[in-house]
């Protein structure tokens, strides 16, 4: 029974993906699992499913190089453990040369470097808190420019916890304790045309942060629950979360800064309401919404999003719960492909 539900979820996803060719939908991939996926299989799977962008939550060379000649756009993440190490011109040079320039010379389509994971977090990545990330971000930018890689964006990924908790998007603002480095980051993003990368975990926001009904996390508009903010009515958390960030950016002086959804998903286990049925419902609503290209009240138009994630990561730490290991949708995708081929 469980397997059948998984298959129908993925059948659906494959179909929707095919209709999203002209929208920007990517997927993330981390590598903290004992049974590692073979990178070349991943490349094939993305191509078959017409998912032309991958956000690697790592910078392992072996993985990056597999994508040579595939024209899959890669975003490469500089893990928090490297952020300290790269904070010197010579070391930044080595990192960019090995992980970015060399693969590009071998035909890998790297479009972005994400420096650190949630460096301003005060929740899930609290211990990685490193609001000194800005010098490294600038150094990586300079290094890329020196190497004639001006087309590769340099940015940082942030969770919703960079904002103060507020009921209405129009009340949203960045946390006071990180305002200074955040403003420096924003200045750098604006100067270089980099997007603000947001990692979203809607069910956590809805249940843990706001204590609203779970229904508000879905995008199928069945809940009846709504938040009315001035003349705007929000019927789901995803649009409300994005617009909260849009308000904070506006207040910081960047009303037009591009917002990219660097991760969004729904765990399948290990968290309240985490199961395959809900994950299916969430993704159905989300992908329909993305395909509509309507955007949010404050940010109308197409959205750039990366679904999270290709595979469960059974070696991911579980400090906040086993859900941290259960974001994967790959197994389900391959079983569908397998089934389709067997027909
Ligand atoms: C590679 O992908 C880009 C979009 O990301 C597209 O504009 C370009 O035409 C593609 N190139 C090839 C050779 O397919
Ligand atoms: C990077 O170096 C600068 C200047 O030397 C320092 O202020 C900052 O704290 C360092 N940041 C990290 C992440 O090491
Ligand atoms: C953002 O960058 C643009 C130029 O790209 C500049 O005109 C504008 O003043 C910058 N905004 C801020 C708030 O610095
Ligand atoms: C969450 O909301 C419910 C009612 O919707 C209430 O009974 C409960 O006490 C609230 N929990 C917290 C932690 O505020
Ligand atoms: C959601 O449903 C309500 C009625 O329940 C409707 O007024 C509203 O326009 C719908 N919103 C969206 C985004 O479909
Ligand atoms: C909504 O309110 C804002 C100001 O709060 C105003 O600028 C805008 O024109 C209003 N939009 C509509 C459709 O009434």
């Amino acid at each position: 029974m469980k397997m059948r539900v998984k298959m129908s979820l993925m059948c659906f996803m494959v179909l929707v993906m095919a209709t999203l060719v002209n929208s920007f939908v990517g997927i993330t991939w981390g590598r903290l699992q004992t049974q590692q996926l073979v990178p070349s299989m991943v490349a094939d799977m993305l191509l078959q499913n017409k998912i032309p962008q991958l956000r690697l939550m790592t910078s392992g060379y072996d993985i990056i190089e597999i994508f040579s000649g595939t024209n899959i756009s890669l975003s490469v993440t500089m893990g928090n453990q490297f952020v300290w190490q790269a904070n010197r011109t010579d070391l930044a040079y080595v990192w960019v040369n090995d992980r970015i320039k060399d693969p590009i010379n071998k035909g890998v389509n790297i479009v972005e470097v994400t420096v650190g994971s949630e460096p301003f977090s005060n929740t899930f990545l609290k211990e990685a808190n490193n609001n000194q990330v800005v010098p490294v971000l600038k150094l990586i930018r300079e290094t890329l420019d020196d190497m004639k890689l001006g087309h590769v964006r340099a940015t940082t990924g942030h969770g919703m916890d960079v904002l103060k908790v507020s009921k209405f998007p129009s009340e949203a603002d960045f946390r006071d304790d990180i305002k200074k480095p955040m403003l420096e980051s924003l200045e750098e993003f604006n100067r270089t045309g980099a997007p603000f990368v947001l990692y979203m975990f809607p069910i956590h926001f809805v249940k843990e942060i706001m204590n609203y009904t779970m229904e508000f996390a879905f995008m199928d508009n069945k809940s009846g629950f709504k938040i009315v903010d001035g003349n705007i009515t929000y019927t789901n958390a995803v649009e409300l979360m994005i617009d909260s960030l849009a308000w904070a950016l506006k207040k910081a002086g960047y009303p037009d800064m591009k917002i990219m959804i660097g991760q969004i998903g729904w765990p399948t286990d290990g968290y309240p309401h985490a199961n395959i049925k809900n994950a299916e419902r969430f993704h159905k609503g989300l992908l329909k919404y993305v395909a509509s290209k309507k955007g949010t009240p404050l940010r109308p138009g197409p959205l750039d999003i990366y679904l999270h994630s290709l595979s469960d990561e059974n070696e991911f730490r579980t400090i906040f719960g086993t859900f941290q290991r259960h974001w994967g949708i790959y197994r389900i995708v391959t079983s569908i492909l397998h089934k389709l081929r067997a027909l």
Side-chain angles (χ1 to χ4, degrees):
M1 182 54 204
K2 205 169 180 191
M3 207 54 207
R4 199 172 311 142
V5 178
K6 283 191 180 186
M7 290 203 190
S8 71
L9 164 59
M10 278 350 271
C11 269
F12 169 79
M13 301 259 312
V14 169
L15 287 175
V16 177
M17 289 300 186
T19 67
L20 285 171
V21 183
N22 297 318
S23 300
F24 179 107
V25 172
I27 197 159
T28 68
W29 185 25
R31 292 270 288 171
L32 295 173
Q33 64 266 132
T34 39
Q35 281 188 307
Q36 304 250 330
L37 301 178
V38 180
S40 57
M41 264 174 67
V42 169
D44 280 351
M45 202 188 73
L46 295 176
L47 292 170
Q48 281 175 19
N49 289 292
K50 301 187 166 54
I51 302 175
Q53 26 262 327
L54 182 66
R55 181 169 216 94
L56 282 176
M57 305 311 295
T58 167
S59 58
Y61 333 79
D62 55 324
I63 305 165
I64 296 174
E65 284 181 12
I66 291 295
F67 294 90
S68 162
T70 62
N71 203 29
I72 290 171
S73 304
L74 284 197
S75 173
V76 172
T77 301
M78 175 190 272
N80 288 331
Q81 73 274 25
F82 287 108
V83 172
W84 296 100
Q85 296 171 24
N87 196 13
R88 229 175 61 195
T89 311
D90 54 339
L91 300 177
Y93 189 93
V94 171
W95 192 91
V96 173
N97 189 63
D98 291 354
R99 319 273 172 147
I100 308 296
K101 185 177 183 204
D102 189 51
I104 286 178
N105 287 343
K106 290 178 177 154
V108 182
N109 185 18
I110 298 177
V111 296
E112 184 178 87
V113 177
T114 304
V115 178
S117 283
E118 306 188 39
F120 301 150
S121 175
N122 68 355
T123 57
F124 296 126
L125 282 160
K126 188 174 182 156
E127 85 286 353
N129 185 309
N130 174 10
N131 54 35
Q132 299 302 310
V133 71
V134 185
V136 184
L137 179 68
K138 289 183 173 167
L139 195 49
I140 295 297
R141 177 72 272 154
E142 279 163 27
T143 310
L144 288 165
D145 291 341
D146 281 352
M147 292 187 181
K148 310 258 176 300
L149 298 172
H151 64 286
V152 179
R153 302 183 296 263
T155 187
T156 310
H158 296 294
M160 278 302 278
D161 60 0
V162 296
L163 302 181
K164 298 185 220 184
V165 176
S166 60
K167 180 171 180 191
F168 302 109
S170 60
E171 287 173 354
D173 204 349
F174 292 107
R175 279 182 5 237
D176 294 327
D177 62 308
I178 55 160
K179 222 15 148 354
K180 192 167 168 280
M182 182 53 87
L183 288 175
E184 269 181 80
S185 288
L186 297 181
E187 193 181 347
E188 176 70 1
F189 298 157
N190 184 61
R191 186 184 71 77
T192 62
F196 188 103
V197 173
L198 179 66
Y199 297 158
M200 297 175 70
F201 184 0
I203 186 60
H204 173 75
F205 178 80
V206 166
K207 289 308 299 174
E208 297 281 316
I209 310 293
M210 307 310 290
N211 193 25
Y212 295 155
T213 165
M214 171 190 78
E215 291 291 310
F216 191 59
F218 295 102
M219 302 198 77
D220 48 15
N221 196 21
K222 287 186 181 151
S223 76
F225 181 89
K226 49 187 191 260
I227 298 288
V228 179
D229 187 14
N231 54 18
I232 299 175
T233 299
Y234 292 93
T235 59
N236 66 77
V238 173
E239 289 182 88
L240 180 140
M241 291 165 83
I242 295 170
D243 277 4
S244 297
L245 174 62
W247 269 107
L249 289 172
K250 187 174 173 183
K251 288 174 190 170
Y254 303 98
D256 300 321
M257 181 170 286
K258 185 176 173 63
I259 297 173
M260 178 181 275
I261 312 304
Q263 293 185 352
I264 184 169
W266 190 292
T268 55
D269 204 354
Y271 196 80
H273 312 292
N275 56 48
I276 290 174
K277 201 160 156 262
N278 283 339
E280 171 180 25
R281 182 175 162 203
F282 176 73
H283 284 100
K284 231 177 198 174
L286 174 67
L287 290 170
K288 249 190 199 162
Y289 165 74
V290 173
S292 79
K293 300 193 174 119
K294 80 178 179 52
T296 72
L298 260 65
R299 296 298 183 95
L303 272 180
D304 292 352
I305 75 161
Y306 288 87
L307 304 178
H308 187 60
S309 165
L310 208 47
S311 58
D312 275 2
E313 293 184 81
N314 68 0
E315 292 189 329
F316 208 95
R317 73 229 185 91
T318 53
I319 304 170
F320 295 96
T322 51
F323 74 90
Q324 296 187 286
R325 294 182 173 173
H326 296 289
W327 294 95
I329 50 179
Y330 162 83
R331 216 153 39 96
I332 319 173
V333 171
T334 47
S335 69
I336 300 275
L337 293 176
H338 189 77
K339 198 177 168 215
L340 290 178
R341 281 194 208 98
L343 286 179

